[in-house]
Amino acid sequence: MSDNTTLPTGLISYIYNVTNDEALKQRATDNLAEVMAEFDLTADQKRIITEISLETGLTDDLWDQLSAELRPEIQHTIKTIW
Amino acid sequence: MKYSKSELYSIALDSEVQHLNNTVLEELQTIVSEIPENIHAICFEKRIDQFEDPVDFLVCYYCSPHNLDSVSSYINQKNPNKYALRINDFISNRKHSPAYKLVNLIWFSFDYEEGRYSTVPTFCVSTQHCQFSDFSLLSSFIINASEILAPEFLNKTKELLPSLECTRINHFSFTFGRKEFRAKFVFKLETLRLPSLLKDLDWKGNLYLLEQLLNTIVHISDEIQVGLSYSTELSEKIEIELPWITSLDENYLKDSFLSSLRKVTEKELSTNLTPWLNLKVQTGYYIKITLTSASELNIKSYLYSSPYKKRK
């Protein structure tokens, strides 16, 4: 999966693809800002991912923040939007 | 998996249900290019008997801090009229006031009127949160928000709210994008309870025609969502939203119901809406029947899509 221009944007897509695509994982290690921009992450999402990358693991607070950012993508069902 | 706003817009335009003329397409393209990224859903509102007419275009944002900043900045770039300032006052409160934190979704509706789209959009606030099942909490939030968004109608808002305790208020909105400024409650209730509620509110619309319509609708749904508009007075217009259709199994727009509906509304559903379900993103639609102050019944379809890929 090297053609990143076709990957859907968003936080779930970022986490899934960076976890499962070794080439992308390496690029994220080398240039995190560039990869996060490709997935069109919001400023808050970028901040949380950057903080996570500086930690050895997810702290409780970072886990709460990451969950809050993932929630709209996970919980989304069209019947509840209106 | 989530698509960008431009990708979603292109996917939605590809549906064979869409028939938009080039002028409308050009204007919508401008709106789409200017609105903030990270949208949660879009909706095309179309008359079902005049499918090629211009459409109202709605866009939804999830209230994350970043989205609120983007939306606020976008509204600031508009003509700074008093309505734009009101929207930004509301957003500022959503960012800082605990009472506003329960609002997860906000909607903008770009209404097509007098040959163009509105500059400052109509603004809708979702109150779909489990804690808002506490009606006193919901009621005080709505009154507080209305002081910002529609102080002209505050007395009417306060007057109407107590009667709506028997309903579930899911949204309230303000027609900043229309020539005529109005506020609206959108609420759910049992289909056949609506007439008694309207009598309590001293509603002046055509109750006889409304009851005929409800007696038709109750065969497909014992619950409806209702749009009740007001300014300093309650409008005689009322809007009835039928249930969502998100799969072919849920499609109630079939011969027997359409025939009954046609007898009451004298309107024909001229387009098959089911291809809307074939898009690769999550989609859904419903129809809304509006009983106007002139006792006409108009039917519109609401075609929703979200940037999230369809689940298998």
Side-chain angles (χ1 to χ4, degrees), chain B residues 195-212:
Chain B
S196 62
L197 171 66
L198 293 174
K199 282 175 194 163
D200 287 348
L201 295 171
D202 197 23
W203 182 67
K204 307 288 190 199
N206 188 333
L207 197 57
Y208 172 74
L209 193 51
L210 178 66
E211 284 180 324
Q212 279 191 303

Side-chain angles (χ1 to χ4, degrees), chain A:
Chain A
M1 229 196 307
S2 57
D3 182 8
N4 295 332
T5 58
T6 62
L7 295 177
T9 56
L11 191 55
I12 293 177
S13 178
Y14 170 87
I15 291 172
Y16 176 82
N17 286 295
V18 168
T19 305
N20 291 287
D21 181 333
E22 287 302 324
L24 196 60
K25 189 185 291 182
Q26 188 57 52
R27 284 186 53 225
T29 305
D30 296 341
N31 192 342
L32 182 61
E34 182 184 273
V35 175
M36 290 194 296
E38 286 172 14
F39 283 87
D40 199 27
L41 300 191
T42 66
D44 275 351
Q45 291 168 349
K46 286 176 184 171
R47 177 183 53 75
I48 294 164
I49 294 290
T50 304
E51 285 182 33
I52 289 170
S53 75
L54 299 174
E55 294 280 348
T56 50
L58 269 174
T59 62
D60 286 353
D61 179 50
L62 284 171
W63 178 244
D64 284 347
Q65 291 185 56
L66 183 66
S67 303
E69 287 296 324
L70 285 168
R71 196 168 297 128
E73 287 190 44
I74 293 167
Q75 288 185 335
H76 177 79
T77 52
I78 201 128
K79 285 182 181 179
T80 60
I81 58 175
W82 183 255

Side-chain angles (χ1 to χ4, degrees), chain A residues 8-10 12-13 16-17 40 42-44 69 71-82, chain B residues 1-2 4 37-38 40-41 62 65-66 107 128 171 225 241 244 246 250 282 286 304 306 308 311:
Chain A
T9 56
I12 293 177
S13 178
Y16 176 82
N17 286 295
D40 199 27
T42 66
D44 275 351
E69 287 296 324
R71 196 168 297 128
E73 287 190 44
I74 293 167
Q75 288 185 335
H76 177 79
T77 52
I78 201 128
K79 285 182 181 179
T80 60
I81 58 175
W82 183 255
Chain B
M1 299 293 182
K2 188 178 180 187
S4 69
E37 250 315 338
N38 210 22
H40 198 61
Y62 194 86
H66 173 74
W107 283 88
Q128 297 183 101
H171 293 86
Q225 186 151 279
E241 294 172 8
W244 280 95
T246 58
E250 295 172 331
Q282 289 190 37
Y286 56 77
Y304 288 81
S306 77
Y308 303 99
R311 294 190 179 109

Side-chain angles (χ1 to χ4, degrees), chain B residues 80-241:
Chain B
N81 72 11
K82 64 178 181 182
Y83 296 145
L85 294 173
R86 290 179 188 185
I87 292 173
N88 266 347
D89 279 352
F90 177 91
I91 290 171
S92 176
N93 271 10
R94 172 59 186 78
K95 284 166 68 177
H96 304 297
S97 165
Y100 283 61
K101 297 283 182 194
L102 302 181
V103 174
N104 281 328
L105 300 175
I106 51 174
W107 283 88
F108 292 119
S109 175
F110 295 89
D111 304 326
Y112 197 89
E113 202 168 70
E114 297 184 332
R116 64 181 187 87
Y117 282 99
S118 52
T119 309
V120 174
T122 284
F123 185 54
C124 313
V125 177
S126 168
T127 50
Q128 297 183 101
H129 192 288
C130 55
Q131 288 187 37
F132 277 143
S133 58
D134 176 346
F135 192 75
S136 61
L137 185 71
L138 174 65
S139 200
S140 57
F141 165 70
I142 289 175
I143 289 168
N144 193 293
S146 297
E147 283 171 358
I148 297 169
L149 294 164
E152 301 92 334
F153 313 146
L154 190 58
N155 287 342
K156 198 67 185 173
T157 303
K158 289 177 179 173
E159 183 188 316
L160 292 173
L161 268 170
S163 297
L164 298 179
E165 186 166 3
C166 64
T167 75
R168 174 72 191 92
I169 300 173
N170 281 337
H171 293 86
F172 60 103
S173 67
F174 304 90
T175 59
F176 299 144
R178 296 270 180 211
K179 194 170 56 179
E180 192 174 357
F181 176 40
R182 282 183 173 169
K184 179 161 75 177
F185 284 119
V186 180
F187 53 84
K188 274 193 172 165
L189 86 169
E190 287 174 35
T191 307
L192 296 180
R193 285 189 70 178
L194 182 57
S196 62
L197 171 66
L198 293 174
K199 282 175 194 163
D200 287 348
L201 295 171
D202 197 23
W203 182 67
K204 307 288 190 199
N206 188 333
L207 197 57
Y208 172 74
L209 193 51
L210 178 66
E211 284 180 324
Q212 279 191 303
L213 179 64
L214 296 175
N215 288 334
T216 302
I217 292 172
V218 77
H219 292 293
I220 58 154
S221 179
D222 55 12
E223 189 179 60
I224 46 172
Q225 186 151 279
V226 176
L228 195 58
S229 299
Y230 63 97
S231 52
T232 51
E233 294 300 325
L234 191 58
S235 170
E236 292 174 20
K237 182 181 90 167
I238 194 161
E239 299 159 295
I240 311 291
E241 294 172 8

